[in-house]
């Protein structure tokens, strides 16, 4: 709790970065929404109207399955989706570099976010890509296994059997992310990558506590916003939905700042 309380001053000092992160998430969400909309709407235009019968529903499903399995339309959408995520993976390290550098040099004057992008983008990009490569590595075994099971069992069986695998993957991804975050703290501060790695390994329970507390706070706020949007629909619901993304950006920067405070106290 002390690290979380102390780090909130960092969030206030770097609120312009929160706004940048919020706008980045907003733009990304808009393009992702437009992409999904371009896929779903043409399919729904073929949905039987006004009252589908069993035969018309079967024809709709057969037509949809034919388009997905017998044409190259799925390949086009997959390449488009891969392109969107590639752009995101190219932009995100620059934002991280500016944020990490600015947090470490918070006593200096000027817009350190852009200075941090200039001086720290190369190592941060390297760490970011290595982190994602390690996180995605289990897919090499999980995806073929899932495909084989999918051909043999129903979705209910798959959901039950894959829950432990998915949970383990999430825990693995979280640990990898924390290790690389502290390594980047060490890189930006010139204290050393291996010192950051060692500190993260020694303080994983403390890091987990910070993560769970801020996650609980975010879930509580999310529940309040969702309930309010259900009660007051219309323009207010849209405003609340967009405001939630701002809150999520604040909590994200807050979490990084709290873990930086932990790293700083142990360094």
């Amino acid at each position: 709790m002390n690290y979380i309380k102390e780090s909130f001053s960092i969030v206030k000092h770097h609120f312009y970065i929160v706004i940048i992160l919020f706008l980045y998430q907003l733009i990304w969400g808009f393009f992702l929404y437009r992409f999904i909309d371009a896929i779903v709407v043409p399919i729904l235009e073929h949905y039987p109207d006004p009252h589908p019968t069993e035969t018309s529903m079967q024809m709709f499903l057969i037509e949809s399955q034919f388009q997905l399995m017998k044409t190259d339309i799925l390949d086009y959408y997959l390449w488009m989706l891969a392109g969107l995520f590639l752009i995101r993976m190219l932009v995100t390290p620059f934002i991280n570099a500016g944020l990490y550098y600015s947090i470490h040099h918070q006593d200096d004057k000027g817009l350190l976010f852009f200075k941090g992008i200039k001086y720290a983008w190369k190592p941060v990009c390297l760490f970011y890509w290595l982190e994602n490569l390690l996180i995605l590595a289990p897919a090499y075994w999980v995806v073929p296994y899932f495909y084989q099971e999918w051909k043999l069992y129903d979705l209910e069986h798959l959901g039950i059997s894959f829950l432990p695998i998915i949970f383990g993957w999430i825990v693995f991804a979280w640990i990898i992310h924390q290790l690389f975050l502290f390594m980047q703290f060490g890189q930006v501060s010139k204290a050393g990558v291996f010192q950051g790695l060692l500190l993260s390994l020694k303080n994983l329970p403390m890091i987990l506590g910070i993560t769970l507390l801020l996650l609980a706070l975010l879930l509580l706020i999310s529940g309040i916003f969702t309930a309010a949007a259900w009660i007051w629909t219309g323009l207010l619901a849209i405003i609340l939905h967009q405001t939630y993304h701002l809150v999520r950006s604040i909590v994200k920067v807050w979490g990084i700042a709290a873990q930086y405070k932990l790293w700083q106290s142990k360094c």
Side-chain angles (χ1 to χ4, degrees):
M1 286 301 298
N2 289 333
Y3 295 124
I4 292 174
K5 291 177 183 177
E6 293 171 3
S7 61
F8 191 70
S9 61
I10 298 178
V11 179
K12 292 188 291 184
H13 185 70
H14 296 84
F15 200 76
Y16 73 98
I17 300 180
V18 173
I19 299 300
I20 293 173
L21 187 61
F22 164 66
L23 293 175
Y24 170 63
Q25 296 287 351
L26 196 64
I27 294 171
W28 162 254
F30 171 76
F31 280 105
L32 188 62
Y33 165 77
R34 295 300 301 172
F35 172 75
I36 296 174
D37 182 68
I39 299 174
V40 174
V41 170
I43 294 176
L44 292 180
E45 287 177 350
H46 295 278
Y47 190 79
D49 184 62
H51 300 293
T53 61
E54 184 178 352
T55 303
S56 61
M57 277 297 300
Q58 288 180 350
M59 291 298 297
F60 171 73
L61 294 174
I62 291 172
E63 180 185 2
S64 301
Q65 184 180 12
F66 178 83
Q67 286 186 336
L68 292 174
M69 305 299 294
K70 301 299 182 180
T71 67
D72 59 353
I73 188 172
L74 185 61
D75 295 337
Y76 169 75
Y77 289 132
L78 288 176
W79 279 110
M80 286 287 292
L81 186 62
L84 284 174
F85 277 97
L86 179 61
I87 293 172
R88 182 181 176 87
M89 292 182 72
L90 289 173
V91 175
T92 300
F94 289 90
I95 297 177
N96 291 344
L99 177 59
Y100 301 156
Y101 185 91
S102 183
I103 289 176
H104 180 68
H105 297 85
Q106 56 186 308
D107 296 329
D108 298 345
K109 295 181 179 180
L111 292 176
L112 297 172
F113 175 78
F114 301 101
K115 187 178 180 180
I117 292 176
K118 179 180 178 181
Y119 287 101
W121 73 270
K122 290 182 181 179
V124 171
C125 280
L126 177 62
F127 282 120
Y128 180 81
W129 281 85
L130 286 174
E131 175 190 337
N132 282 277
L133 185 64
L134 286 174
I135 290 174
L136 293 175
Y140 180 79
W141 297 277
V142 173
V143 172
Y145 175 71
F146 176 81
Y147 180 72
Q148 292 296 328
E149 294 291 307
W150 177 62
K151 293 192 297 184
L152 298 174
Y153 301 102
D154 56 17
L155 291 177
E156 183 179 356
H157 177 273
L158 284 178
I160 296 173
S161 61
F162 270 83
L163 278 177
I165 297 175
I166 298 300
F167 179 76
W169 200 349
I170 291 173
V171 173
F172 170 76
W174 178 82
I175 293 174
I176 293 297
H177 176 70
Q178 302 308 320
L179 297 181
F180 273 85
L181 179 61
F182 275 65
M183 288 165 67
Q184 288 171 92
F185 287 158
Q187 172 66 35
V188 170
S189 66
K190 307 299 182 184
V193 171
F194 292 105
Q195 184 178 3
L197 177 61
L198 185 61
L199 285 173
S200 63
L201 290 171
K202 287 182 177 180
N203 296 280
L204 269 179
M206 187 76 72
I207 298 170
L208 177 61
I210 292 172
T211 302
L212 291 178
L213 281 173
L214 289 175
L215 180 61
L217 175 63
L218 187 61
L219 289 175
L220 176 63
I221 296 172
S222 174
I224 294 172
F225 274 55
T226 303
W230 276 96
I231 296 171
W232 296 292
T233 58
L235 180 60
L236 182 59
I238 296 174
I239 294 173
L240 287 172
H241 177 71
Q242 299 305 326
T243 306
Y244 171 72
H245 292 296
L246 177 61
V247 174
R248 191 174 64 174
S249 300
I250 293 173
V251 174
K252 181 178 180 179
V253 175
W254 196 357
I256 294 172
Q259 293 180 39
Y260 172 79
K261 277 291 185 181
L262 171 63
W263 173 86
Q264 192 179 44
S265 67
K266 303 294 183 179
C267 189

